[in-house]
PDB file of all heavy atoms in Angstrom:
ATOM      1  N   LEU B  28     -18.064  -9.524  11.374  1.00  0.00           N
ATOM      2  CA  LEU B  28     -18.822  -8.702  12.314  1.00  0.00           C
ATOM      3  C   LEU B  28     -19.170  -7.361  11.688  1.00  0.00           C
ATOM      4  O   LEU B  28     -18.373  -6.784  10.968  1.00  0.00           O
ATOM      5  CB  LEU B  28     -17.960  -8.415  13.547  1.00  0.00           C
ATOM      6  CG  LEU B  28     -17.819  -9.517  14.571  1.00  0.00           C
ATOM      7  CD1 LEU B  28     -16.782  -9.098  15.611  1.00  0.00           C
ATOM      8  CD2 LEU B  28     -19.151  -9.798  15.245  1.00  0.00           C
ATOM      9  N   LEU B  30     -19.312  -3.745  12.634  1.00  0.00           N
ATOM     10  CA  LEU B  30     -18.822  -2.900  13.723  1.00  0.00           C
ATOM     11  C   LEU B  30     -19.498  -1.529  13.661  1.00  0.00           C
ATOM     12  O   LEU B  30     -20.360  -1.284  12.823  1.00  0.00           O
ATOM     13  CB  LEU B  30     -17.301  -2.765  13.630  1.00  0.00           C
ATOM     14  CG  LEU B  30     -16.546  -4.108  13.673  1.00  0.00           C
ATOM     15  CD1 LEU B  30     -15.066  -3.899  13.483  1.00  0.00           C
ATOM     16  CD2 LEU B  30     -16.813  -4.839  14.986  1.00  0.00           C
ATOM     17  N   ARG B 182     -16.216   4.206   9.560  1.00  0.00           N
ATOM     18  CA  ARG B 182     -16.365   2.909  10.203  1.00  0.00           C
ATOM     19  C   ARG B 182     -15.224   2.699  11.206  1.00  0.00           C
ATOM     20  O   ARG B 182     -14.085   3.087  10.950  1.00  0.00           O
ATOM     21  CB  ARG B 182     -16.324   1.796   9.141  1.00  0.00           C
ATOM     22  CG  ARG B 182     -17.450   1.893   8.114  1.00  0.00           C
ATOM     23  CD  ARG B 182     -18.750   1.335   8.661  1.00  0.00           C
ATOM     24  NE  ARG B 182     -18.599  -0.073   8.983  1.00  0.00           N
ATOM     25  CZ  ARG B 182     -18.869  -1.060   8.125  1.00  0.00           C
ATOM     26  NH1 ARG B 182     -19.327  -0.781   6.927  1.00  0.00           N
ATOM     27  NH2 ARG B 182     -18.717  -2.310   8.468  1.00  0.00           N
ATOM     28  N   THR B 183     -15.548   2.108  12.353  1.00  0.00           N
ATOM     29  CA  THR B 183     -14.482   1.797  13.314  1.00  0.00           C
ATOM     30  C   THR B 183     -13.644   0.639  12.771  1.00  0.00           C
ATOM     31  O   THR B 183     -14.060  -0.082  11.860  1.00  0.00           O
ATOM     32  CB  THR B 183     -15.028   1.392  14.691  1.00  0.00           C
ATOM     33  OG1 THR B 183     -15.886   0.266  14.516  1.00  0.00           O
ATOM     34  CG2 THR B 183     -15.807   2.523  15.333  1.00  0.00           C
ATOM     35  N   ARG B 184     -12.469   0.493  13.346  1.00  0.00           N
ATOM     36  CA  ARG B 184     -11.600  -0.606  12.964  1.00  0.00           C
ATOM     37  C   ARG B 184     -11.742  -1.720  13.991  1.00  0.00           C
ATOM     38  O   ARG B 184     -11.918  -1.436  15.189  1.00  0.00           O
ATOM     39  CB  ARG B 184     -10.154  -0.116  12.909  1.00  0.00           C
ATOM     40  CG  ARG B 184      -9.950   0.885  11.775  1.00  0.00           C
ATOM     41  CD  ARG B 184      -8.533   1.333  11.670  1.00  0.00           C
ATOM     42  NE  ARG B 184      -8.210   2.286  12.715  1.00  0.00           N
ATOM     43  CZ  ARG B 184      -7.319   3.263  12.570  1.00  0.00           C
ATOM     44  NH1 ARG B 184      -6.674   3.415  11.437  1.00  0.00           N
ATOM     45  NH2 ARG B 184      -7.059   4.079  13.562  1.00  0.00           N
ATOM     46  N   PRO B 185     -11.655  -2.968  13.559  1.00  0.00           N
ATOM     47  CA  PRO B 185     -11.759  -4.051  14.538  1.00  0.00           C
ATOM     48  C   PRO B 185     -10.584  -4.024  15.519  1.00  0.00           C
ATOM     49  O   PRO B 185      -9.471  -3.634  15.169  1.00  0.00           O
ATOM     50  CB  PRO B 185     -11.720  -5.322  13.683  1.00  0.00           C
ATOM     51  CG  PRO B 185     -11.198  -4.901  12.353  1.00  0.00           C
ATOM     52  CD  PRO B 185     -11.506  -3.458  12.190  1.00  0.00           C
ATOM     53  N   ARG B 186     -10.843  -4.415  16.760  1.00  0.00           N
ATOM     54  CA  ARG B 186      -9.777  -4.591  17.742  1.00  0.00           C
ATOM     55  C   ARG B 186      -9.278  -6.023  17.596  1.00  0.00           C
ATOM     56  O   ARG B 186     -10.075  -6.967  17.609  1.00  0.00           O
ATOM     57  CB  ARG B 186     -10.333  -4.329  19.143  1.00  0.00           C
ATOM     58  CG  ARG B 186     -10.776  -2.852  19.345  1.00  0.00           C
ATOM     59  CD  ARG B 186     -11.626  -2.687  20.593  1.00  0.00           C
ATOM     60  NE  ARG B 186     -12.725  -3.637  20.585  1.00  0.00           N
ATOM     61  CZ  ARG B 186     -12.892  -4.607  21.480  1.00  0.00           C
ATOM     62  NH1 ARG B 186     -12.071  -4.731  22.502  1.00  0.00           N
ATOM     63  NH2 ARG B 186     -13.900  -5.441  21.371  1.00  0.00           N
ATOM     64  N   VAL B 187      -7.981  -6.171  17.444  1.00  0.00           N
ATOM     65  CA  VAL B 187      -7.397  -7.472  17.103  1.00  0.00           C
ATOM     66  C   VAL B 187      -6.405  -7.902  18.182  1.00  0.00           C
ATOM     67  O   VAL B 187      -5.565  -7.104  18.592  1.00  0.00           O
ATOM     68  CB  VAL B 187      -6.672  -7.411  15.737  1.00  0.00           C
ATOM     69  CG1 VAL B 187      -6.028  -8.747  15.397  1.00  0.00           C
ATOM     70  CG2 VAL B 187      -7.636  -6.980  14.628  1.00  0.00           C
ATOM     71  N   VAL B 220      -1.182  -7.026  10.450  1.00  0.00           N
ATOM     72  CA  VAL B 220      -2.347  -6.283  10.946  1.00  0.00           C
ATOM     73  C   VAL B 220      -2.052  -4.775  10.894  1.00  0.00           C
ATOM     74  O   VAL B 220      -2.889  -3.986  10.429  1.00  0.00           O
ATOM     75  CB  VAL B 220      -2.708  -6.736  12.376  1.00  0.00           C
ATOM     76  CG1 VAL B 220      -3.782  -5.843  12.981  1.00  0.00           C
ATOM     77  CG2 VAL B 220      -3.166  -8.194  12.374  1.00  0.00           C
ATOM     78  N   ILE B 225      -4.360  -1.149  11.587  1.00  0.00           N
ATOM     79  CA  ILE B 225      -4.890  -1.556  12.897  1.00  0.00           C
ATOM     80  C   ILE B 225      -3.719  -1.859  13.819  1.00  0.00           C
ATOM     81  O   ILE B 225      -2.783  -2.557  13.431  1.00  0.00           O
ATOM     82  CB  ILE B 225      -5.758  -2.830  12.757  1.00  0.00           C
ATOM     83  CG1 ILE B 225      -6.914  -2.581  11.791  1.00  0.00           C
ATOM     84  CG2 ILE B 225      -6.257  -3.314  14.120  1.00  0.00           C
ATOM     85  CD1 ILE B 225      -7.630  -3.857  11.360  1.00  0.00           C
ATOM     86  N   GLU B 226      -3.755  -1.326  15.050  1.00  0.00           N
ATOM     87  CA  GLU B 226      -2.695  -1.634  16.013  1.00  0.00           C
ATOM     88  C   GLU B 226      -3.171  -2.803  16.877  1.00  0.00           C
ATOM     89  O   GLU B 226      -4.054  -2.651  17.711  1.00  0.00           O
ATOM     90  CB  GLU B 226      -2.398  -0.402  16.867  1.00  0.00           C
ATOM     91  CG  GLU B 226      -1.050  -0.440  17.555  1.00  0.00           C
ATOM     92  CD  GLU B 226       0.116  -0.698  16.590  1.00  0.00           C
ATOM     93  OE1 GLU B 226       0.265   0.038  15.595  1.00  0.00           O
ATOM     94  OE2 GLU B 226       0.874  -1.644  16.855  1.00  0.00           O
ATOM     95  N   PRO B 227      -2.626  -3.992  16.679  1.00  0.00           N
ATOM     96  CA  PRO B 227      -3.114  -5.150  17.432  1.00  0.00           C
ATOM     97  C   PRO B 227      -2.500  -5.226  18.831  1.00  0.00           C
ATOM     98  O   PRO B 227      -1.526  -4.540  19.124  1.00  0.00           O
ATOM     99  CB  PRO B 227      -2.637  -6.332  16.592  1.00  0.00           C
ATOM    100  CG  PRO B 227      -1.349  -5.846  16.005  1.00  0.00           C
ATOM    101  CD  PRO B 227      -1.527  -4.356  15.771  1.00  0.00           C
ATOM    102  N   TYR B 250     -11.788  -9.305  22.356  1.00  0.00           N
ATOM    103  CA  TYR B 250     -11.507  -8.522  21.138  1.00  0.00           C
ATOM    104  C   TYR B 250     -12.463  -8.921  20.016  1.00  0.00           C
ATOM    105  O   TYR B 250     -13.130  -9.948  20.100  1.00  0.00           O
ATOM    106  CB  TYR B 250     -10.045  -8.727  20.714  1.00  0.00           C
ATOM    107  CG  TYR B 250      -9.093  -8.133  21.732  1.00  0.00           C
ATOM    108  CD1 TYR B 250      -8.747  -8.842  22.891  1.00  0.00           C
ATOM    109  CD2 TYR B 250      -8.594  -6.848  21.568  1.00  0.00           C
ATOM    110  CE1 TYR B 250      -7.907  -8.282  23.843  1.00  0.00           C
ATOM    111  CE2 TYR B 250      -7.752  -6.283  22.510  1.00  0.00           C
ATOM    112  CZ  TYR B 250      -7.420  -7.005  23.645  1.00  0.00           C
ATOM    113  OH  TYR B 250      -6.605  -6.443  24.593  1.00  0.00           O
ATOM    114  N   ASP B 251     -12.483  -8.098  18.966  1.00  0.00           N
ATOM    115  CA  ASP B 251     -13.335  -8.417  17.821  1.00  0.00           C
ATOM    116  C   ASP B 251     -12.774  -9.589  17.035  1.00  0.00           C
ATOM    117  O   ASP B 251     -13.517 -10.392  16.468  1.00  0.00           O
ATOM    118  CB  ASP B 251     -13.437  -7.203  16.875  1.00  0.00           C
ATOM    119  CG  ASP B 251     -14.044  -5.993  17.563  1.00  0.00           C
ATOM    120  OD1 ASP B 251     -15.042  -6.178  18.291  1.00  0.00           O
ATOM    121  OD2 ASP B 251     -13.517  -4.875  17.386  1.00  0.00           O
ATOM    122  N   VAL B 252     -11.449  -9.645  16.973  1.00  0.00           N
ATOM    123  CA  VAL B 252     -10.795 -10.693  16.198  1.00  0.00           C
ATOM    124  C   VAL B 252      -9.656 -11.259  17.033  1.00  0.00           C
ATOM    125  O   VAL B 252      -8.880 -10.506  17.622  1.00  0.00           O
ATOM    126  CB  VAL B 252     -10.240 -10.135  14.865  1.00  0.00           C
ATOM    127  CG1 VAL B 252      -9.446 -11.195  14.112  1.00  0.00           C
ATOM    128  CG2 VAL B 252     -11.374  -9.598  13.991  1.00  0.00           C
ATOM    129  N   ALA B 322     -11.192 -10.507   5.719  1.00  0.00           N
ATOM    130  CA  ALA B 322     -12.174 -10.370   6.807  1.00  0.00           C
ATOM    131  C   ALA B 322     -11.995  -9.033   7.527  1.00  0.00           C
ATOM    132  O   ALA B 322     -12.973  -8.330   7.807  1.00  0.00           O
ATOM    133  CB  ALA B 322     -12.032 -11.531   7.795  1.00  0.00           C
ATOM    134  N   LEU B 323     -10.745  -8.670   7.819  1.00  0.00           N
ATOM    135  CA  LEU B 323     -10.499  -7.392   8.508  1.00  0.00           C
ATOM    136  C   LEU B 323     -10.916  -6.221   7.625  1.00  0.00           C
ATOM    137  O   LEU B 323     -11.528  -5.260   8.093  1.00  0.00           O
ATOM    138  CB  LEU B 323      -9.022  -7.265   8.903  1.00  0.00           C
ATOM    139  CG  LEU B 323      -8.521  -8.225   9.986  1.00  0.00           C
ATOM    140  CD1 LEU B 323      -7.012  -8.032  10.216  1.00  0.00           C
ATOM    141  CD2 LEU B 323      -9.276  -8.023  11.296  1.00  0.00           C
ATOM    142  N   ARG B 324     -10.586  -6.295   6.336  1.00  0.00           N
ATOM    143  CA  ARG B 324     -10.985  -5.199   5.441  1.00  0.00           C
ATOM    144  C   ARG B 324     -12.507  -5.109   5.337  1.00  0.00           C
ATOM    145  O   ARG B 324     -13.069  -4.007   5.282  1.00  0.00           O
ATOM    146  CB  ARG B 324     -10.324  -5.348   4.064  1.00  0.00           C
ATOM    147  CG  ARG B 324      -8.838  -4.956   4.119  1.00  0.00           C
ATOM    148  CD  ARG B 324      -8.167  -4.965   2.756  1.00  0.00           C
ATOM    149  NE  ARG B 324      -8.723  -4.033   1.801  1.00  0.00           N
ATOM    150  CZ  ARG B 324      -8.396  -2.747   1.677  1.00  0.00           C
ATOM    151  NH1 ARG B 324      -7.502  -2.218   2.498  1.00  0.00           N
ATOM    152  NH2 ARG B 324      -8.949  -1.990   0.754  1.00  0.00           N
ATOM    153  N   MET B 326     -14.643  -5.898   7.712  1.00  0.00           N
ATOM    154  CA  MET B 326     -15.131  -5.293   8.966  1.00  0.00           C
ATOM    155  C   MET B 326     -14.902  -3.789   8.983  1.00  0.00           C
ATOM    156  O   MET B 326     -15.647  -3.038   9.606  1.00  0.00           O
ATOM    157  CB  MET B 326     -14.430  -5.923  10.169  1.00  0.00           C
ATOM    158  CG  MET B 326     -14.857  -7.356  10.421  1.00  0.00           C
ATOM    159  SD  MET B 326     -14.096  -8.008  11.935  1.00  0.00           S
ATOM    160  CE  MET B 326     -13.943  -9.727  11.497  1.00  0.00           C
ATOM    161  N   MET B 327     -13.823  -3.341   8.318  1.00  0.00           N
ATOM    162  CA  MET B 327     -13.545  -1.899   8.264  1.00  0.00           C
ATOM    163  C   MET B 327     -14.436  -1.186   7.247  1.00  0.00           C
ATOM    164  O   MET B 327     -14.361   0.033   7.116  1.00  0.00           O
ATOM    165  CB  MET B 327     -12.071  -1.664   7.909  1.00  0.00           C
ATOM    166  CG  MET B 327     -11.138  -2.025   9.052  1.00  0.00           C
ATOM    167  SD  MET B 327      -9.421  -1.497   8.731  1.00  0.00           S
ATOM    168  CE  MET B 327      -8.866  -2.792   7.631  1.00  0.00           C
ATOM    169  N   GLY B 328     -15.245  -1.947   6.503  1.00  0.00           N
ATOM    170  CA  GLY B 328     -16.186  -1.324   5.581  1.00  0.00           C
ATOM    171  C   GLY B 328     -15.696  -1.237   4.141  1.00  0.00           C
ATOM    172  O   GLY B 328     -16.373  -0.675   3.280  1.00  0.00           O
TER     173      GLY B 328
END
Side-chain angles (χ1 to χ4, degrees):
Chain B
L28 282 172
L30 302 176
R182 298 280 298 268
T183 58
R184 293 182 284 211
R186 295 166 308 117
V187 178
V220 172
I225 301 167
E226 199 53 54
Y250 293 82
D251 299 317
V252 175
L323 292 177
R324 285 185 62 85
M326 290 185 211
M327 288 189 281

